[in-house]
Amino acid sequence: MRLARIRRGPGERIELAALVEGEELVSLASVDGCADADPVAALAELGVERLAEHTARLAGGERLAAAELVFEPPVATCTKICCLALNYADHAAESGLEVPPEPVLFFKPTTALIGHGAVVRPPARTRHVEHEVELAVVIGHVAHGLTEENWQDAVAGYTVVNDMTARDLQLANIARNQPWDQFKGFDTFAPLGPYLVTRDEVPDPQNLELTLTVGGEVRQRANTKQMVFPLPRLLADLSDGMTLLPGDVIATGTMAGIAPVADGDVMHATVAGVGTLTNPVRWQST
């Protein structure tokens, strides 16, 4: 299933919706267990099969055109966005860095989250912002001490994230040996979506093509099989000493091709089989 949190217009209430075909969705707001518009909670309470049955039943009624909707991030509750750095060797190489011997983790605040179609608004303090397309894993239940054998039990599904980065500020802090998380975590710097795709629809998350385009130009392209640390290792490592909660997002790293965005650019971040996340950029004035 492909679940989304949508508004029928700006300021309208958020509804849980499911993609039925093409670019058409049906609202699940009338379904018991879906009123809170929380995809992760609905999956935990009803399961994929029952949600699919409700979606099929409602598909003969009102359908909503995706192009006419406002998309919110496909997680209603998120306590942390866990991001992996240098998890593709070619990105480490273009950054002039060695591939790390262990996963390298940083965090984004949940205030950075925006949905598909929302505007990325870099603050005036930065003049060089770059895109980073990544596969995102969404946690489905409380998880601690996962193993490389049972990690998928904790997964609600997958989505697309664009790890926006104020590169000029980040590099300045790196040169000073100071923390740089702040410059990954500005408001709007974690576009996420459009859909939460349940794990049954992604049989092999370790073999997905990723691309990012701006103005028709392919900036980034890779496959998740090129990760330095694959998903089983990442989930086991993250949950070793840190509890993962429902709705938490794990951004699994980006590949080579990071490049600056200009005012007015529109980014299309795609993970094959998961979706295309589209966000325009509008620079804030001084």
Side-chain angles (χ1 to χ4, degrees), residues 3-284:
L3 299 170
R5 298 173 66 242
I6 57 95
R7 299 180 193 265
R8 302 193 187 206
E12 299 278 345
R13 70 186 178 97
I14 301 177
E15 301 175 50
L16 181 62
L19 188 69
V20 285
E21 59 184 353
E23 294 298 315
E24 293 185 327
L25 299 87
V26 295
S27 174
L28 300 176
S30 63
V31 176
D32 288 343
C34 298
D36 291 336
D38 186 334
V40 173
L43 284 167
E45 181 173 343
L46 300 175
V48 173
E49 290 187 6
R50 286 180 64 192
L51 280 174
E53 290 171 0
H54 287 297
T55 299
R57 173 177 58 82
L58 294 166
E62 180 187 18
R63 295 196 180 190
L64 308 172
E68 299 175 0
L69 301 173
V70 176
F71 281 79
E72 297 291 334
V75 289
T77 301
C78 177
T79 69
K80 50 191 171 290
I81 307 168
C82 305
C83 304
L84 277 301
L86 305 176
N87 200 30
Y88 286 78
D90 59 357
H91 174 51
E94 74 173 350
S95 302
L97 299 169
E98 295 183 0
V99 174
E102 301 287 340
V104 176
L105 174 69
F106 64 94
F107 295 94
K108 284 182 183 258
T110 58
T111 48
L113 288 169
I114 57 172
H116 168 68
V119 179
V120 172
R121 298 185 181 277
R125 65 190 295 184
T126 176
R127 304 317 304 163
H128 187 116
V129 171
E130 295 183 342
H131 53 70
E132 299 185 15
V133 58
E134 306 186 15
L135 173 68
V137 178
V138 178
I139 298 300
H141 64 75
V142 176
H144 185 93
L146 295 171
T147 69
E148 295 190 26
E149 290 69 42
N150 71 1
W151 68 275
Q152 283 189 306
D153 295 343
V155 175
Y158 303 92
T159 189
V160 186
V161 65
N162 191 347
D163 173 17
M164 303 302 300
T165 304
R167 194 71 69 194
D168 51 349
L169 302 178
Q170 181 200 32
L171 292 178
N173 267 25
I174 289 174
R176 294 190 288 260
N177 290 319
Q178 294 178 352
W180 42 261
D181 301 56
Q182 178 183 8
F183 309 124
K184 289 270 195 176
F186 289 141
D187 292 350
T188 76
F189 269 34
L192 190 76
Y195 302 102
L196 172 62
V197 181
T198 53
R199 69 186 193 204
D200 58 296
E201 289 207 17
V202 188
D204 187 1
Q206 213 63 70
N207 187 20
L208 301 173
E209 294 290 326
L210 303 93
T211 57
L212 186 137
T213 64
V214 176
E217 173 194 1
V218 177
R219 298 271 190 91
Q220 293 183 279
R221 173 174 285 150
N223 189 290
T224 55
K225 65 186 177 184
Q226 296 169 247
M227 289 182 186
V228 175
F229 303 105
L231 298 182
R233 171 70 185 280
L234 291 180
L235 271 290
D237 182 85
L238 289 175
S239 66
D240 182 6
M242 180 174 68
T243 300
L244 303 174
L245 298 177
D248 284 353
V249 173
I250 299 168
T252 58
T254 200
M255 69 296 303
I258 56 173
V261 291
D263 186 66
D265 279 348
V266 179
M267 303 170 291
H268 301 275
T270 300
V271 178
V274 178
T276 295
L277 172 67
T278 300
N279 298 94
V281 180
R282 295 287 183 274
W283 287 82
Q284 297 184 37

